[in-house]
Amino acid sequence: MTKSLTIKQPDDWHLHLRDGDMLAAVLPDTAQHFGRAIIMPNLVPPVVSTADVLAYQKRIMAALPKGMNFTPLMTAYLTEATDAEDLAKGFQDGVITAVKLYPAGATTNSASGVRDVMAVQPVLEKMAEIGMPLLVHGEVTDSDIDIFDREAVFIDRVLDPLRQRLPQLKIVMEHITTSVAADYVQSGSENLGATITTHHLMINRNHILAGGIRPHYYCLPVAKREEHRLALRALATSGFSRVFLGTDSAPHPDRAKLMACGCAGIYTAPNTMSCLAHVFEEDGALDHLEAFTSINGPKFYGLPISDQTITLTKQDLPMAYPEMITAGDETVTVFDPGVDLFWRVDTLV
Ligand code: NCD
Ligand code: ZN
């Protein structure tokens, strides 16, 4: 039985760090294991311009504890008022790594998102021209579309036509949750990738709703039926080169989760690597863990693979990790995978 596994240092290709006390509280949980992360721009107000991105990057670096190495890969939030030249310059200067498309109203802090993709066509054309990736929250927001169908309908109505209009545009389907999206990314060309979260590999919609409502499992896109979780697992553990880890670790104060209208987001940064080792071992695919967490992402983004490694060690007794963390006056609950975890991240060399 494998007891120890050394892999290239992982990166997180979809992460929410927030700002202020929350940023200071959650950043070390990511930086202790991950070398880089794609930082989501959905602050209030959103991070829309190159100047906003630079300022946010500075706040992140100022919050990083001394002695920790971590590179935030910054994104800008696409709006119908985005200045294509400003973002192009930010990309060419190495300040911005990618642009994030939120359909307006799709998720937390997405009110300034895009209502009509045709309205941002000139920005997308510029991005295609310079090789700047578009990261897509792939859900339609129409109130008449069932929430469990919103990803599949988005692929059909928005993503596929967009890819036909702009075949050269590099696109990442963020946090895919269905077999439809899993099939779609595999059938795509070299410039189509997808991220999968830790939690969508471990929970289905029963975890949220059966036997009582569990707000800490509520996120967007919402977890789907078991058959979809299994399709995501099969894809992630296959080592398929255009699919990689994006935890979508999204901290919210417990106060905001535990209310009549609780917000979406699961905080997985502290135990993600332990969860993933568990999942990949369960599926007999520990040899593909490194591809998913550390190789496929940088390759897709055209960035170097880490020259650091981490070692995961399987211990005999279940691992202890905090149920919650504190951020200022608030608590944030850590993802409960519902199983004991035995793989701990041992050393960072
Ligand atoms: C994210 C957040 O809280 O910012 N929430 C979530 O459920 N994933 C937004 C997002 O990525 O959709
Ligand atoms: Zn997210």
Side-chain angles (χ1 to χ4, degrees):
M1 196 171 69
T2 311
K3 284 272 185 186
S4 158
L5 181 66
T6 296
I7 59 173
K8 295 286 187 190
Q9 188 178 17
D11 303 300
D12 183 350
W13 302 94
H14 182 128
L15 176 67
H16 299 268
L17 285 179
R18 318 298 190 202
D19 223 336
D21 286 346
M22 187 65 91
L23 167 61
V26 302
L27 178 57
D29 283 343
T30 287
Q32 66 174 339
H33 298 156
F34 295 87
R36 296 166 288 200
I38 286 273
I39 310 302
M40 288 296 129
N42 63 332
L43 304 183
V44 188
V47 178
V48 293
S49 65
T50 296
D52 291 349
V53 168
L54 264 176
Y56 186 31
Q57 185 180 38
K58 281 210 182 104
R59 298 199 296 282
I60 294 170
M61 292 318 286
L64 188 67
K66 282 207 173 44
M68 283 190 134
N69 281 318
F70 176 73
T71 305
L73 302 171
M74 305 304 294
T75 64
Y77 184 118
L78 184 61
T79 76
E80 294 188 7
T82 291
D83 174 354
E85 291 308 320
D86 173 55
L87 295 195
K89 181 154 190 331
F91 178 67
Q92 281 154 343
D93 292 347
V95 176
I96 306 180
T97 300
V99 172
K100 179 69 191 272
L101 164 64
Y102 288 103
T107 186
T108 309
N109 305 337
S110 61
S112 334
V114 173
R115 250 155 275 273
D116 173 10
V117 192
M118 287 315 287
V120 293
Q121 176 75 8
V123 183
L124 301 181
E125 282 169 10
K126 183 73 192 174
M127 290 169 59
E129 184 192 314
I130 62 175
M132 188 177 199
L134 178 72
L135 315 184
V136 177
H137 182 112
E139 289 190 287
V140 293
T141 54
D142 316 42
S143 55
D144 59 330
I145 305 291
D146 189 280
I147 191 163
F148 292 99
D149 298 333
R150 288 179 180 189
E151 181 173 282
V153 173
F154 182 90
I155 292 172
D156 215 39
R157 289 193 191 165
V158 184
L159 183 58
D160 198 59
L162 167 63
R163 290 186 56 240
Q164 289 181 24
R165 280 197 305 279
L166 277 174
Q168 327 84 288
L169 182 62
K170 195 168 192 168
I171 297 179
V172 183
M173 301 167 69
E174 299 290 309
H175 43 50
I176 60 171
T177 59
T178 58
S179 61
V180 179
D183 291 345
Y184 189 79
V185 66
Q186 288 177 89
S187 71
S189 48
E190 281 308 298
N191 59 2
L192 182 67
T195 58
I196 301 179
T197 74
T198 309
H199 47 280
H200 288 114
L201 296 173
M202 299 191 88
I203 64 167
N204 62 34
R205 64 195 205 179
N206 275 8
H207 290 84
I208 314 171
L209 295 170
I213 188 159
R214 291 189 176 70
H216 293 301
Y217 289 141
Y218 175 60
C219 67
L220 287 169
V222 70
K224 310 294 193 296
R225 286 177 181 274
E226 177 66 356
E227 68 194 63
H228 295 292
R229 184 183 75 92
L230 294 176
L232 299 174
R233 264 178 89 131
L235 178 57
T237 59
S238 73
F240 179 73
S241 67
R242 286 182 284 110
V243 165
F244 32 93
L245 173 65
T247 65
D248 197 12
S249 179
H252 289 278
D254 287 331
R255 186 182 45 79
K257 296 276 303 167
L258 305 173
M259 60 194 312
C261 183
C263 54
I266 303 182
Y267 184 54
T268 54
N271 56 4
T272 270
M273 288 309 297
S274 301
C275 287
L276 291 173
H278 179 93
V279 162
F280 277 66
E281 182 183 44
E282 217 169 49
D283 289 7
L286 270 179
D287 55 334
H288 286 158
L289 180 64
E290 183 180 50
F292 183 65
T293 62
S294 320
I295 311 281
N296 297 347
K299 276 199 175 154
F300 185 84
Y301 275 87
L303 294 168
I305 291 163
S306 177
D307 54 13
Q308 313 268 96
T309 59
I310 63 165
T311 297
L312 291 138
T313 302
K314 190 172 183 185
Q315 52 185 49
D316 294 331
L317 294 174
M319 242 186 68
Y321 57 87
E323 270 173 44
M324 54 179 63
I325 63 159
T326 52
D329 304 337
E330 307 279 5
T331 59
V332 177
T333 294
V334 175
F335 175 56
D336 172 6
V339 290
D340 285 337
L341 298 174
F342 295 89
W343 288 94
R344 66 166 192 270
V345 179
D346 234 7
T347 45
L348 187 53
V349 186

